[in-house]
Amino acid sequence: MPQLEYYPRLYLSEGINREKLEKIKKDLSVRPHKAGVYVLALPVNESDQLDIYASKYLRQKYYNRRPLYVIGIAEDHESAVGIVEQIARETWAARGDAGLREYLAAGMESADVECGIKNT
């Protein structure tokens, strides 16, 4: 089964509500071949900003060994691209650049502080 860790402020497309989210998370951890679900994740390499995966690809054994840090979940590819655009707009507004990874990392740190967790 794939190892998935979720961003504290997970981005969701319009077709996914919070109730549906818990079912999707469970399905992704147990049988990640759910049709119509796309996962946005931080990429493994340093040169990319974000990766979009059709959930069916998470069945590959590679993802059992390589954990994914999930930033968002969408019901189709078009919605996944829309989430990337939303994150890019937020990044530009907050930082004045296109450093999506850095913007998201700052969100991870602030969420940890809000939850009383310190990164050391």
Side-chain angles (χ1 to χ4, degrees), residues 29-40:
S29 67
V30 176
R31 53 180 193 278
H33 57 278
K34 187 165 181 64
V37 174
Y38 285 76
V39 174
L40 288 83

Side-chain angles (χ1 to χ4, degrees), residues 3 23-24 26 52 64 81 89 117:
Q3 299 175 33
K23 183 174 182 343
I24 290 171
K26 184 178 178 184
I52 299 174
N64 294 344
V81 172
R89 283 191 302 273
I117 301 169

Side-chain angles (χ1 to χ4, degrees), residues 32-34 37 53-60:
H33 57 278
K34 187 165 181 64
V37 174
Y53 299 94
S55 63
K56 65 183 177 183
Y57 293 113
L58 300 180
R59 287 185 289 184
Q60 298 174 20

Side-chain angles (χ1 to χ4, degrees), residues 1-47:
M1 295 302 123
Q3 299 175 33
L4 303 175
E5 187 176 342
Y6 293 94
Y7 187 62
R9 298 180 181 141
L10 193 64
Y11 289 86
L12 302 175
S13 62
E14 288 183 23
I16 299 175
N17 59 32
R18 293 291 170 180
E19 292 173 14
K20 201 173 184 182
L21 174 62
E22 293 309 313
K23 183 174 182 343
I24 290 171
K25 282 182 173 181
K26 184 178 178 184
D27 287 348
L28 288 173
S29 67
V30 176
R31 53 180 193 278
H33 57 278
K34 187 165 181 64
V37 174
Y38 285 76
V39 174
L40 288 83
L42 291 178
V44 177
N45 65 43
E46 295 296 319
S47 63

